[in-house]
Each structure stands twice: as C-alpha cells, then as structure tokens.
Amino acid sequence: MSEQEISARKKGNKLKLPRAVGKGRQVDPKALAEVQALLGDESRQKDLLIEHLHKIQDEYHHISAAHLVALAREMKLSKAEVYEVATFYHHFDVVKEGETAPAPLTVRVCESLTCEMKGAELLIDSLENALGDNVRVQRVPCVGRCDVAPIAVVGMNPVEHAETDAVVSAVNNNQIQPEVLQPIDFDSYSQNGGYDLYRRCITGDYNIDKALDTMDDSGLRGLGGAGFPTGRKWRIVRDQPTPKLMAVNIDEGEPGTLKDKYYLERDPHRFLEGMLIAAWATEIDEIYIYLRDEYAAIRDSLTAEIAKLEANPPVEKMPAIHMRRGAGAYICGEESAMIESIEGKRGMPRLRPPFVAQVGLFGRPTLEHNMESVYWVRDILEKGPSFMTEHGRNGRVGLRSFSVSGRVNKPGVHFAPAGISMIELIEEYCGGMQEGHEFYGYFPGGASGGILPASLGNVPLDFDTLHDYGCFIGSAAIVVFSNQDKARDLAVNAMKFFEEESCGQCTPCRVGTAKAVDLMGSQQWNQDLLEELSQVMVDASICGLGQAAPNPLRSVIKYFPEELTTGELK
C-alpha cells in the first residue's frame, strides 16, 4: 500500500484514484484509424468540424456513433459538441447505437413550392414503390433547381424534370452521371481583361474614394434579401479596426431562388474579382466562402478555379480564400447563423447588437455579402453607376436578377429592370403562362415573401414597393401559380418548410411554426387564432425566419378569402 493510500485511510477518506478510461463511449480503434485516414494531414482546428463530418458522410454515407467519438478524440473536442453539430444539419445521417444505417444510396426529391406544383408528391410515392431496399427515398426542401422541377437528386447528382421510369432505370443501371460544368475559366477570363481592375485597385491606379462613391451612386443593395446599401456597408466595415474578415453567403436556400447558382455556373471569376475588390476596399485579411451543399458541381468547379487563381495571382499578395461547405440548413442563409456554421458550430442566429460588421466571424469585424452583391462590382466600377441607374421601370431604378419558376413557359433567371411588374415579367421575359394555365397569384420573394393575387400583378417589383401589401421581394425568388393551384395549399407547404427549417433556438418560431401547420390543416381556418399566433411570431422571434414565416398565411387570409371556407385541401 502506498504512503498516499495509508495517509488517506488514517484520515477516514477514500483515495480517489485516476480513471483508467474516460467517461462515456470509448474510442473504437478501427473507427479512429478510419477517421485519421480520412483527415490525413489536414488541420484539426475546431472550425473545420463540419468539413470533417462531410468527409465521413461522403465516405460511408452515414456517420456512426463510433466515428463521432473518434472524431471528437482526433479534434480534441467533447463528444457532446461533435454530436450536437452533426445532428443539427440535415445532410449528416447520424446513426445512433442500435439503429440501422440508411441505405447506401439516397434519392432526394424536392417537395417545396414549385416541385409540389409539378407533381413531386406523386413522384415520391412512385419512387418509394419502385426502388428497392438498397435505395432510400427522402423528401427534402428546395435544392435550388426550381426552373427544372420536379427534381430528384441521386446521391449528389441532379435529375431534372424527373420522371419515375427514368430515375429508376438510371439507379438500377448505375447510369446517373455527375453534373459537369463548363464555366468561363481562369485563362479565358484573364485574356478578356479579367483581374485588370483588381490590379489597378491594388496599385493605386483606381482611387478608393472613387470606388466608394461609385458604389454609392450605383444604388446597389444587398441581393441576399435584406437590401442594405452596398457602398454604405463598405464604409462601415472600412472604419472598423483590423484584422478584418469577409464572409460570402452562397447558401441560397429560399424556395424559388436559383440566381447565385446561375451566375456561378457561368462566370465564377467575375464573382471572385468583385469579392477581391470588396476585400481591398474594406481592408480585409482573409475571405471565407460559404457554399450550400446542394451545389456539388459548383463546389468542384469553384474549388478548381480558385486554385488556378491562387497559382497565378494577379497581384503579389491576395487575401487567403477559404471554402466552407454548408450541410443542409436554410437558417444558415441568415448572416450570423452562417458565421456560426463557418466556425464549426450549429447554425444558430446571434442576438444583435453587436452587429456582424463589428463583431463577426471569429470575433472580428466582418464584411458579409451575398454572392450576387459582389458579382456586379466589376461592371459597376468599370462602366460607372449608369450600369445600374440607366435602367428601371415604374419609377424605380436599377436591375434585378429574378429567379422565376412555376406555371410559366420560360422559367429561370431573368435580368430585368427593377420595378418591372409581374404581368410585364411574365409576358416579356417568361414567354407567358403555360398552356391551360391562367395567372392566379405569385410569391414575389420566395416562401417568406408572402403571396399576391393576379389582381396585384401590376405592382412594381423592387425593394420597399411591396411592404404596403404585407410582402417583400427579398432575393427576388418569384413563384407563379395558376387557377389550377390553391394559394392555401402553397401557404401550407411554405409553413411546413419553416417548421422543418427552424433552428429551434426561440420558442415563438419553433413552436409557432408547428402550431401554424396544425391550424392551417383544418378544413376552416381559425383566422383570429392564426393572426394572434402570427403577431407573436413576428414580435418575438429572434431572426427573420420566424418573423417572416406568417407572411404566406396572412396573405391567404387577406387576398384569397374564398379558399378559407370552401373545398378540401389537396
């Protein structure tokens, strides 16, 4: 017996010996070796947790409890911290002890607004019956391909205008081909004046004050939904102390939105040059790009083009560029939730103040931008403010990228004058309504932007023009529906989306969306109770998700009262 034990016994105490092993589940050597092989020589820093979870998910098509414990050990994090992050995001299939792992192949079918109108429900049912046990059919929210609805995604590979026979045949014969993009590459972009403007900025040929004034005069506003003036944002961040960071939000998860995808598939270096110019104007040290996980082909393309840019930098010293991969959480479109995710945490919106421009990513002042906001920077600075200001309709000024889907002949992204009306947009850009469909209503700003009837089809589409109607334009994700659809059904679809995507942090949103779905499922809506619930959500929710979620149901009550008491839900 040791002297320490003898002394402890004399004092009537039991000696507390050190544990041979830690508390909870122990590390499985095989799982640890597998995790170490996947991570290789990459850093184990905390903010890479989500990136490393993706490696496990990609390799094994799920994340086992043993792999979670091994990853926690490898990254020197608590098991609880790794578990709470992994289970927060939809794209991580966490398999608990005793549970059966999902099928090795997953077919995801979008069930959001446009896909529902185009027959997603029937497609899901038929695929569930036609595919075997080795394939999982999963209902998912918008995947950013509303122009080619309905959409099925086999693994990470999209099937446009999906039909049951085609999907089943492709799966059974292993004929799903990965999507390959052919954008304007680094060499082509550079040979046509690409990065010349950025060089001029760095060398002092282009004056910073002139750049700021030009951005102000152009009237460019944030194109992710909030619409904050870009020039003013640059000035605010420029005045903050160094070091400063930049975070670019490409997590466009709003049902109906596909504009960021459209531009990145075609001309990624115009975005990258605009991003670098914004970083120059605000004295940014490092840049983080947050790309939604659904855009697998864009991720491969953008990663390759950034590597070319870094291998042949247009200037001697550029800010470091880091890519971060989302994991299927709509809430991460909110700027502070995105920042939490980049830091390797759950995407929970932060309370403000302090604002992101003051205390953002890793506690530093941060310039946060939507991808499209910086995509137009080169054109504006090269051509002057008139690139934007010489356009516009109905008393509005500028240009907007409208993501249009639904019952029109030419869905897709249409670059049109700000202030154009819905009727004008349909007739001039979208080829009119589909045959047999009469214009009945539209979502002017995605699922959260509310719903307007065809009788208000002449309202100018721009920032601030829709507030009087209980709606907003947001990211200009427009979903057009016809007399063969029900606004009520679509509002229920939108509310189910918000219920699924609520981060759960605040009670008004977490409970309110679920309660609203229940109330909206009744044959006759209790309008007074729904309005009372809506007001609580608007007043007390932490972020825009809960605050905007009631817009569709309020719109139905206001503009489509005939649907509240007649007929049955589809």
Side-chain angles (χ1 to χ4, degrees):
M1 185 178 296
S2 68
E3 293 183 5
Q4 189 179 15
E5 289 177 290
I6 294 172
S7 175
R9 286 195 174 187
K10 287 182 178 179
K11 295 178 181 179
N13 299 326
K14 289 184 178 180
L15 180 65
K16 190 172 183 180
L17 298 175
R19 286 182 175 272
V21 294
K23 293 182 178 180
R25 175 181 291 279
Q26 303 307 304
V27 177
D28 178 84
K30 180 174 180 292
L32 181 60
E34 290 170 343
V35 167
Q36 290 171 338
L38 286 174
L39 270 55
D41 296 331
E42 292 192 37
S43 171
R44 271 60 167 171
Q45 63 197 55
K46 181 179 178 180
D47 59 282
L48 291 175
L49 173 57
I50 294 172
E51 296 295 304
H52 295 337
L53 285 168
H54 272 302
K55 291 180 176 65
I56 300 172
Q57 177 72 40
D58 290 346
E59 179 69 19
Y60 298 101
H61 309 295
H62 68 278
I63 303 176
S64 68
H67 283 134
L68 284 178
V69 173
L71 184 61
R73 165 69 70 83
E74 190 66 13
M75 297 187 70
K76 296 181 172 57
L77 299 172
S78 71
K79 303 180 189 74
E81 188 172 3
V82 174
Y83 178 81
E84 72 174 8
V85 171
T87 54
F88 179 85
Y89 295 93
H90 297 314
H91 289 187
F92 295 140
D93 293 311
V94 176
V95 178
K96 301 175 184 177
E97 182 68 23
E99 291 183 344
T100 302
L105 179 63
T106 295
V107 176
R108 296 178 172 88
V109 181
C110 172
E111 62 175 355
S112 289
L113 297 171
T114 303
C115 284
E116 181 183 87
M117 284 192 284
K118 295 299 182 73
E121 192 65 37
L122 292 175
L123 177 62
I124 292 168
D125 290 342
S126 60
L127 287 175
E128 287 177 338
N129 292 327
L131 293 172
D133 294 336
N134 290 327
V135 179
R136 174 179 60 165
V137 178
Q138 190 176 50
R139 299 167 181 267
V140 298
C142 186
V143 297
R145 299 174 183 272
C146 315
D147 55 331
V148 288
I151 282 293
V153 182
V154 182
M156 296 297 289
N157 306 311
V159 180
E160 300 177 351
H161 302 296
E163 297 180 351
T164 302
D165 291 344
V167 174
V168 172
S169 176
V171 168
N172 291 340
N173 296 303
N174 195 27
Q175 293 178 345
I176 296 295
Q177 299 298 318
E179 185 179 25
V180 178
L181 305 180
Q182 293 182 320
I184 298 173
D185 63 11
F186 176 77
D187 291 337
S188 298
Y189 184 79
S190 299
Q191 290 167 8
N192 287 279
Y195 295 106
D196 286 349
L197 178 61
Y198 178 53
R199 289 189 193 92
R200 292 175 57 203
C201 291
I202 295 297
T203 59
D205 290 345
Y206 200 104
N207 182 272
I208 179 61
D209 291 327
K210 179 184 177 182
L212 293 172
D213 289 342
T214 301
M215 295 305 297
D216 286 336
D217 294 341
S218 73
L220 182 68
R221 297 172 64 168
L223 298 173
F228 192 85
T230 301
R232 192 191 310 172
K233 179 180 285 190
W234 286 13
R235 293 180 189 275
I236 291 171
V237 175
R238 184 174 175 82
D239 290 340
Q240 302 303 313
T242 57
K244 291 177 279 192
L245 302 175
M246 182 176 182
V248 183
N249 195 332
I250 320 179
D251 193 58
E252 55 173 0
E254 182 72 30
T257 308
L258 52 134
K259 63 182 183 63
D260 295 351
K261 170 181 171 291
Y262 176 87
Y263 291 118
L264 285 174
E265 286 179 339
R266 289 158 177 79
D267 197 356
H269 287 281
R270 190 168 299 271
F271 150 62
L272 293 172
E273 183 170 12
M275 177 186 76
L276 290 169
I277 292 171
W280 158 77
T282 50
E283 301 177 333
I284 297 298
D285 297 281
E286 296 182 62
I287 301 171
Y288 287 78
I289 299 173
Y290 189 84
L291 178 67
R292 73 178 308 199
D293 194 32
E294 288 85 350
Y295 294 168
I298 291 176
R299 182 170 64 251
D300 293 341
S301 170
L302 195 56
T303 299
E305 294 305 317
I306 290 174
K308 295 176 186 177
L309 171 63
E310 292 177 330
N312 301 275
V315 298
E316 185 176 344
K317 186 178 180 181
M318 293 194 315
I321 301 174
H322 309 280
M323 283 279 289
R324 289 290 186 269
R325 180 178 170 185
Y330 166 73
I331 191 62
C332 291
E334 195 275 340
E335 62 177 9
S336 65
M338 174 194 66
I339 284 172
E340 290 286 297
S341 189
I342 292 173
E343 292 179 356
K345 297 180 285 189
R346 294 176 296 168
M348 296 282 199
R350 296 176 178 177
L351 292 172
R352 284 164 286 191
F355 296 97
V356 165
Q358 301 164 313
V359 182
L361 187 57
F362 304 119
R364 299 179 183 179
T366 301
L367 175 66
E368 189 275 341
H369 264 314
N370 170 253
M371 190 288 301
E372 196 199 352
S373 300
V374 294
Y375 184 87
W376 301 116
V377 166
R378 176 187 166 185
D379 291 278
I380 291 171
L381 295 185
E382 283 185 340
K383 302 171 184 177
S386 62
F387 174 74
M388 286 287 179
T389 59
E390 67 183 7
H391 303 279
R393 286 197 193 173
N394 300 312
R396 308 300 295 180
V397 176
L399 290 164
R400 293 300 305 268
S401 299
F402 295 95
S403 303
V404 186
S405 63
R407 305 296 190 180
V408 295
N409 284 317
K410 294 181 180 178
V413 175
H414 299 289
F415 199 44
I420 193 172
S421 71
M422 190 67 251
I423 291 175
E424 292 170 331
L425 190 63
I426 291 173
E427 294 304 319
E428 297 177 32
Y429 289 83
C430 301
M433 297 292 291
Q434 291 179 341
E435 185 177 354
H437 291 271
E438 179 184 333
F439 180 37
Y440 180 49
Y442 63 107
F443 288 74
S448 59
I451 313 174
L452 291 175
S455 60
L456 291 176
N458 287 314
V459 175
L461 296 172
D462 196 16
F463 293 113
D464 312 321
T465 60
L466 303 173
H467 292 169
D468 291 343
Y469 305 96
C471 298
F472 59 79
I473 194 169
S475 60
I478 295 176
V479 181
V480 181
F481 57 96
S482 77
N483 56 338
Q484 296 188 26
D485 306 301
K486 282 184 174 291
R488 169 174 169 158
D489 290 355
L490 295 172
V492 172
N493 181 293
M495 189 60 73
K496 287 180 178 179
F497 170 80
F498 295 128
E499 178 189 18
E500 176 69 15
E501 295 298 328
S502 172
C503 74
Q505 181 177 189
C506 64
T507 302
C509 177
R510 182 185 67 251
V511 178
T513 52
K515 183 62 177 176
V517 168
D518 183 55
L519 291 171
M520 294 167 76
S522 300
Q523 181 62 38
Q524 182 170 338
W525 284 10
N526 185 330
Q527 298 181 44
D528 291 338
L529 187 55
L530 279 169
E531 175 54 32
E532 183 180 354
L533 176 62
S534 297
Q535 195 60 53
V536 171
M537 293 171 67
V538 170
D539 291 343
S541 295
I542 289 174
C543 80
L545 191 156
Q547 295 163 8
N551 286 340
L553 78 85
R554 281 177 155 177
S555 296
V556 172
I557 292 172
K558 184 175 183 178
Y559 297 117
F560 303 89
E562 69 279 2
E563 295 191 17
L564 298 179
T565 58
T566 60
E568 295 184 359
L569 290 178
K570 293 182 180 179

